[in-house]
Amino acid sequence: MSKLMRVNLSTLTVTTQDLPAEYAEMGGRWLTSTIVAREVDPTCHPLGPNNKVVFAPGIVTGTTAPCSGRISVGGKSPLTMGIKEANAGTPFSQKLARLGIRALVVEGEVTDRSKRYVLEIDKDGGRLVEASDLAGKHMEETFAEFGKRYPGHAWCGVSAAGEAGLPLAGVCFSDAEKRPSRYAGRGGLGAVMGRKGLKGIVVDDSGGPGVAVKDPDRLKEGSRKLADALGRHDVTKPGGALNSFGTAVLINILNEAGGLPTRNFSSGVFEGAQKISGEAIAEAVAERGGKGMVGHRCHDGCVIQCSNVYPRPDGEEHVSCVEYESDWALGANLGVDDLDDIAEMVRLCNDYGLDTIEAGVTLGVAMEAGLADFGDGKRAITLLQEIGRLTTLGRILGNGAAFTGRAFGVTRVPAVKGQGMPAYEPRAVKGIGATYMTSPMGADHTAGYTIASEILGVGGKTDPLATEGKVELSRNFQTTTAWIDASGFCLFTAFALIDIPSGFEGALEACNGVLGTRWTMDDVTRIGSEILKTEAEFNRKAGLSAADDRPPEFMRLEKLPPHGHVYDLSDDELDEVLNF
Amino acid sequence: MVKTGETKVLKVSGPEGGKRLRFLTVTLSLYAGLDRHLSSPARGPLTVEVQQGLRVADVLEGLRVPREEVKVVIVNHRLAGLDHVLADGDRVAVFPTVAGG
């Protein structure tokens, strides 16, 4: 029987119950958003006792289905003040699922602010154990301690920045080799968890019951079809683009398309793009040798393996991983073209527990304010260290791009609902802009990745500079993505699902095998739109409105080189995107 | 291997061998491993002298880049096709299937 575990930091109690019947078919984002919408007061302070952090593995997570080790983390965001789901790929999720735990709800807050706790979970249940000696420690030190205390577990945790309640803080999960590198990064859920006094969660699935599967043959057949599609598609196959160059293979194509946000979104072209590209990362790995690698996996069972380990000049490990968003945010967006500086900034973000996207967008705004020159990677590193040391300036930066913009009087702040924009310029790629403006998550590329058809030619081709058809394109991507985020499959399976019909059949069959359902493509749309409606309703009750589904004003006013476009989907068009 | 930023000059002519025909100069970047088809790989940009009237596809054929590996062509920051007829000074970028997020 599947379980729901509740952890209350006010009473220091852990209870486990059977998963309520109404949640039986839910997983991942579907489950976190549903529980948050039902149990969290939308007007609560996100860092107060009435907010919750909900963890949920996907429907197929923990099974042999390929690329399925995702975990969703949900709550009310201290960054957007709306609902948040952030997800990551990590063995933690697989272990939680194999213990039969479909949802973990963290509630309350410690009464003694000096105390910290670790939640231990194994086949016998959950226990809160005091770990106040870990207070104020960042992730490298925290995970080193977990390595001594819980060598057989998978872990998650929050840094000192999370404990301090900074909205830049994400929830950090261990990767396959137990690095602090896999982040449910966006929206500040690490701050929500940290303020509750919960320093970390450790999971050991030894002797656990495994994932309850209604129809093992159907799961097996679905997994086979999906694995076949992933193995055949040019994006996801062994030796394919993601496997050979990592996600930073996108740097050059966005730059050539004039859509790579540069120097705080003041240009769509970065002259240093090639130096920070996925090709350059692969070259550094090949030339430096040693511990560097491409084709790294975040969890066992991933066949795509898009992660990397970036080496120092002497071949020692610098950081895992330099992926597209981090590479862009801390590179092109700051005018920095030195991969070693970028790698150091990614390492610092991983150690300080920070979302690399929000950190980079914040530093871009800080550079606009004159705190550093664009292109000065060394100064950018010292600004990040201010956050790590929790100085007054660090706490301002640690509140994100929108807050930093207000603190320094900057109007060019690329954010929606207070969340910094990712690595695609909406003025050059109009559909992704529709996703940024209307997603209940705030500016989030993963919420509806129209880039696939607007730039990459996957799932059809559309003109990135045109506005026609982009309302429907974003809506369709957002709906399908919400379902994928519930399934537990990595979003990168979507490329093969969209292009190869048997791949999508396989993903559906795998879910049907676990749940005993008979879902078809119609159910993907039904479930996806239900998730989005639940999230939008929470946001409305939290006080967000159509006025929050808008681009920052400067994008309506400033023409972006090289195309000279402003953001020109109308307000009425934006209001139609999620008008189901 | 030719390093990033170095320039390499190639010449691509049509079937007539270029006699009495004008040549244009374009820059060409072959990304995400497509440069491995060149006799001397280069992430580009390459400077290519191209006979007037030739298309992107002709240049790629002349450089022995297999057409089936080409997914996206971008000319002067705009998505274009293999049949784009080259003009003097064009900035051409060619990609296999790539993706990420």
Side-chain angles (χ1 to χ4, degrees):
Chain A
M1 183 69 193
S2 296
K3 304 288 183 191
L4 184 151
M5 181 179 282
R6 284 185 191 276
V7 187
N8 190 310
L9 273 297
S10 300
T11 57
L12 300 177
T13 51
V14 182
T15 55
T16 306
Q17 63 182 97
D18 290 345
L19 187 74
E22 70 258 45
Y23 297 155
E25 292 180 2
M26 296 183 185
R29 176 179 170 186
W30 193 8
L31 193 44
T32 63
S33 287
T34 301
I35 292 175
V36 170
R38 287 188 186 183
E39 299 190 11
V40 175
D41 176 355
T43 63
C44 75
H45 195 297
L47 300 181
N50 289 324
N51 198 4
K52 302 189 182 191
V53 187
V54 184
F55 296 77
I59 292 163
V60 296
T61 304
T63 72
T64 54
C67 303
S68 63
R70 305 296 296 186
I71 190 150
S72 289
V73 187
K76 176 172 174 173
S77 165
L79 191 71
T80 67
M81 300 303 279
I83 199 165
K84 175 57 62 181
E85 184 265 358
N87 61 65
T90 166
F92 180 99
S93 191
Q94 295 169 306
K95 288 182 189 291
L96 201 61
R98 288 172 190 152
L99 287 172
I101 298 171
R102 297 271 294 275
L104 169 63
V105 183
V106 181
E107 335 179 296
E109 65 179 14
V110 283
T111 48
D112 181 346
R113 281 267 171 223
S114 68
K115 297 278 178 70
R116 300 289 181 275
Y117 291 87
V118 167
L119 173 63
E120 300 175 358
I121 303 176
D122 56 30
K123 64 179 170 42
D124 299 319
R127 293 167 299 281
L128 283 168
V129 177
E130 189 177 340
S132 299
D133 59 316
L134 299 180
K137 295 196 186 308
H138 286 314
M139 294 318 307
E140 288 180 5
E141 218 178 334
T142 300
F143 273 19
E145 274 303 313
F146 285 176
K148 291 177 202 161
R149 298 177 197 183
Y150 307 106
H153 295 55
W155 320 312
C156 79
V158 299
S159 66
E163 294 171 57
L166 298 184
L168 240 64
V171 179
C172 179
F173 293 90
S174 50
D175 75 355
E177 291 88 25
K178 302 202 170 177
R179 295 180 187 84
S181 62
R182 311 311 308 186
Y183 270 83
R186 305 233 67 191
L189 293 173
V192 182
M193 179 167 153
R195 292 298 287 177
K196 293 188 178 304
L198 186 61
K199 183 67 178 173
I201 305 171
V202 297
V203 185
D204 175 11
D205 64 342
S206 313
V211 177
V213 176
K214 292 274 173 54
D215 184 344
D217 289 340
R218 191 176 287 268
L219 168 63
K220 194 174 167 189
E221 178 61 11
S223 299
R224 190 194 61 74
K225 282 186 190 174
L226 176 58
D228 174 69
L230 293 170
R232 280 196 288 133
H233 197 279
D234 286 337
V235 169
T236 50
K237 69 186 181 187
L242 280 173
N243 189 239
S244 301
F245 300 106
T247 59
V249 74
L250 290 178
I251 291 274
N252 280 319
I253 196 166
L254 264 299
N255 189 57
E256 291 291 347
L260 186 71
T262 299
R263 295 184 187 82
N264 190 35
F265 289 71
S266 61
S267 173
V269 180
F270 180 45
E271 69 285 353
Q274 289 221 18
K275 291 187 186 171
I276 66 168
S277 64
E279 291 92 325
I281 292 169
E283 194 172 278
V285 165
E287 284 182 358
R288 293 176 174 183
K291 299 206 168 110
M293 68 179 294
V294 295
H296 177 251
R297 79 215 186 291
C298 65
H299 66 278
D300 287 337
C302 173
V303 297
I304 302 173
Q305 305 184 347
C306 69
S307 177
N308 58 36
V309 178
Y310 185 79
R312 295 184 187 275
D314 64 1
E316 285 303 304
E317 177 174 328
H318 194 160
V319 69
S320 177
C321 67
V322 181
E323 56 86 39
Y324 175 62
E325 290 293 334
S326 309
D327 189 17
W328 158 80
L330 302 160
N333 188 50
L334 307 183
V336 171
D337 65 4
D338 184 318
L339 268 175
D340 291 316
D341 283 347
I342 294 167
E344 178 60 10
M345 285 189 266
V346 175
R347 188 192 69 77
L348 289 175
C349 286
N350 282 355
D351 186 25
Y352 299 158
L354 310 179
D355 170 17
T356 53
I357 299 178
E358 195 65 36
V361 177
T362 301
L363 290 181
V365 170
M367 285 180 166
E368 186 90 39
L371 271 63
D373 292 332
F374 284 109
D376 189 347
K378 301 293 187 285
R379 176 69 187 141
I381 287 169
T382 66
L383 288 175
L384 278 179
Q385 289 166 340
E386 297 269 346
I387 305 176
R389 293 203 312 275
L390 299 175
T391 64
T392 303
L393 174 59
R395 284 171 188 266
I396 291 172
L397 299 172
N399 266 274
F403 187 96
T404 298
R406 282 195 292 276
F408 293 98
V410 174
T411 54
R412 187 187 287 137
V413 177
V416 182
K417 299 178 179 67
Q419 179 165 294
M421 288 185 182
Y424 311 87
E425 234 302 343
R427 288 168 288 180
V429 196
K430 302 290 168 60
I432 199 69
T435 297
Y436 288 176
M437 313 318 167
T438 64
S439 166
M441 300 298 144
D444 180 348
H445 62 297
T446 69
Y449 194 69
T450 62
I451 300 299
S453 90
E454 294 186 283
I455 299 288
L456 309 175
V458 175
K461 278 192 179 183
T462 53
D463 177 0
L465 292 167
T467 57
E468 292 75 26
K470 297 302 169 66
V471 167
E472 294 75 18
L473 188 70
S474 176
R475 179 192 302 139
N476 291 341
F477 267 96
Q478 289 196 59
T479 306
T480 305
T481 300
W483 180 82
I484 292 175
D485 288 344
S487 72
F489 288 117
C490 172
L491 189 53
F492 289 173
T493 63
F495 301 111
L497 299 191
I498 292 169
D499 277 345
I500 304 174
S502 63
F504 217 133
E505 280 170 30
L508 273 166
E509 273 184 48
C511 289
N512 286 332
V514 170
L515 299 171
T517 47
R518 295 275 167 182
W519 287 349
T520 65
M521 284 303 295
D522 289 343
D523 294 289
V524 170
T525 308
R526 171 183 63 80
I527 292 165
S529 55
E530 180 186 321
I531 295 167
L532 289 163
K533 280 190 269 192
T534 299
E535 293 168 345
E537 178 68 4
F538 181 96
N539 282 358
R540 192 188 61 74
K541 290 179 182 166
L544 278 69
S545 71
D548 296 293
D549 294 339
R550 298 290 179 260
E553 187 184 35
F554 82 91
M555 288 191 172
R556 294 282 198 210
L557 302 175
E558 295 180 14
K559 291 180 179 175
L560 182 82
H563 294 298
H565 279 231
V566 296
Y567 194 72
D568 55 355
L569 253 76
S570 69
D571 291 354
D572 287 345
E573 285 174 308
L574 292 173
D575 289 343
E576 281 305 304
V577 175
L578 295 186
N579 185 19
F580 293 106
Chain B
M1 184 167 179
V2 179
K3 295 281 188 187
T4 311
E6 288 183 17
T7 298
K8 183 175 176 180
V9 179
L10 299 170
K11 196 160 182 170
V12 178
S13 309
E16 301 86 4
K19 204 163 57 178
R20 286 179 290 108
L21 291 171
R22 202 160 78 81
F23 278 81
L24 316 167
T25 303
V26 304
T27 61
L28 172 68
S29 298
L30 299 171
Y31 289 115
L34 284 181
D35 63 328
R36 74 183 185 282
H37 296 293
L38 302 178
S39 54
S40 169
R43 273 211 313 278
L46 305 162
T47 300
V48 188
E49 289 182 23
V50 184
Q51 185 184 308
Q52 190 173 33
L54 293 188
R55 305 163 304 153
V56 174
D58 301 320
V59 173
L60 295 177
E61 194 181 332
L63 297 176
R64 296 192 166 76
V65 177
R67 180 182 288 225
E68 64 273 14
E69 287 189 27
V70 173
K71 178 79 170 179
V72 177
V73 176
I74 298 176
V75 180
N76 304 330
H77 302 301
R78 286 191 179 260
L79 294 179
L82 282 164
D83 55 355
H84 171 87
V85 178
L86 291 160
D88 198 38
D90 273 352
R91 169 181 170 141
V92 183
V94 183
F95 298 85
T97 302
V98 298

